[in-house]
Amino acid sequence: MPSNWLDHLTVDHRDLRTAHSRRAQILNRLAADKPLLTELVHGIEHNPRLLHESEVHPLIHRLVLYQDDARGFQIRLHLSPGHGDELVPHDHKYSFTTRILAGAYTHVWRRRTDTSDGEFTAADLTPGIVTIERPDSCYTLGHPLVHQTLMLPGTVTLFMRGPREKDRSHAALDMLPQADTWPSPAEAGKPKHAGGQRPVTGNEYRVMRDQLAKQGIITR
């Protein structure tokens, strides 16, 4: 069994520059540690908490690989559904660091022109930096910032977040997909959330796992 060096990590999330450096080291090491990455993905199926935390979403699918509340971080894989609806400006409840494993996306960093807090629409934003994120790209986003991504099909990223900084995240209300395009509740006890996401089913998890193996990100 691969050594799970994640169990011995420490991360200082208080300073974003320091946090970026440390998280980038962790994600780079995990991306290169295919045996451990494979073990973490396969382990989701046998871990009820991680399986419940993993989600399908109209904008991005999430597989939670590792969670430690005491140390204040979570690591997951993000997989693009590939249907072209990802270009929705949004913020996050926490700061996070992302490393791209496969695919690519256009990444737009936005600035808010209103109160910089709470709900917003596209009219409350002004363009910032536009970048193209490709495999091996790694960046950190603070929770007050708004960004949007347009992903190629097959895009996969490693994502590490810090502790929650606010109660909820927000997305441009006038750019959200229509509710009838959201994933439907597939099983009893697995309701659709207000934002369209819900926990993965066992079959959906296995489809994502097989996709990762086919792309060479993990082994079978």
Side-chain angles (χ1 to χ4, degrees):
M1 179 178 293
S3 171
N4 193 343
W5 43 267
L6 296 172
D7 292 337
H8 309 290
L9 295 176
T10 57
V11 182
D12 185 353
H13 303 283
R14 293 171 296 180
D15 178 81
L16 208 55
R17 289 183 181 274
T18 301
H20 168 76
S21 178
R22 182 63 172 141
R23 293 178 195 160
Q25 291 174 357
I26 293 166
L27 295 183
N28 287 337
R29 182 178 176 184
L30 183 55
D33 192 342
K34 188 176 288 188
L36 178 55
L37 189 55
T38 299
E39 178 189 339
L40 294 173
V41 171
H42 282 266
I44 294 170
E45 189 170 21
H46 309 290
N47 187 316
R49 182 188 182 192
L50 295 185
L51 190 62
H52 182 76
E53 292 289 333
S54 299
E55 296 176 332
V56 294
H57 187 278
L59 306 181
I60 201 78
H61 299 335
R62 307 178 180 104
L63 291 178
V64 178
L65 304 178
Y66 190 94
Q67 184 158 323
D68 191 307
D69 296 331
R71 288 179 290 161
F73 70 85
Q74 182 189 76
I75 298 175
R76 57 200 195 213
L77 280 169
H78 286 181
L79 295 82
S80 170
H83 49 55
D85 291 333
E86 297 90 342
L87 195 62
V88 178
H90 59 279
D91 63 13
H92 290 260
K93 299 186 290 288
Y94 35 68
S95 67
F96 69 88
T97 301
T98 291
R99 186 189 189 278
I100 291 75
L101 299 181
Y105 56 90
T106 301
H107 189 192
V108 183
W109 303 59
R110 296 282 189 178
R111 290 186 295 111
R112 292 188 62 164
T113 57
D114 57 351
T115 63
S116 298
D117 189 27
E119 303 286 5
F120 63 89
T121 67
D124 300 317
L125 304 173
T126 188
I129 301 171
V130 179
T131 61
I132 304 298
E133 309 294 353
R134 298 181 175 89
D136 300 331
S137 293
C138 189
Y139 64 87
T140 294
L141 198 81
H143 71 88
L145 296 179
V146 173
H147 72 149
Q148 58 193 125
T149 59
L150 181 60
M151 294 189 174
L152 292 176
T155 298
V156 180
T157 66
L158 268 174
F159 180 100
M160 182 175 185
R161 69 162 178 81
R164 179 177 293 192
E165 301 284 349
K166 54 192 177 190
D167 291 338
R168 56 173 297 232
S169 58
H170 305 86
L173 298 174
D174 55 333
M175 294 182 66
L176 287 171
Q178 295 298 309
D180 59 6
T181 69
W182 296 347
S184 60
E187 297 177 6
K190 293 180 179 286
K192 183 166 63 177
H193 297 182
Q197 75 271 22
R198 59 165 169 78
V200 299
T201 65
N203 184 62
E204 287 166 339
Y205 155 76
R206 287 184 285 274
V207 169
M208 293 183 210
R209 181 194 63 196
D210 291 347
Q211 175 190 331
L212 293 169
K214 185 176 181 179
Q215 290 181 270
I217 293 170
I218 64 171
T219 56
R220 292 191 183 275

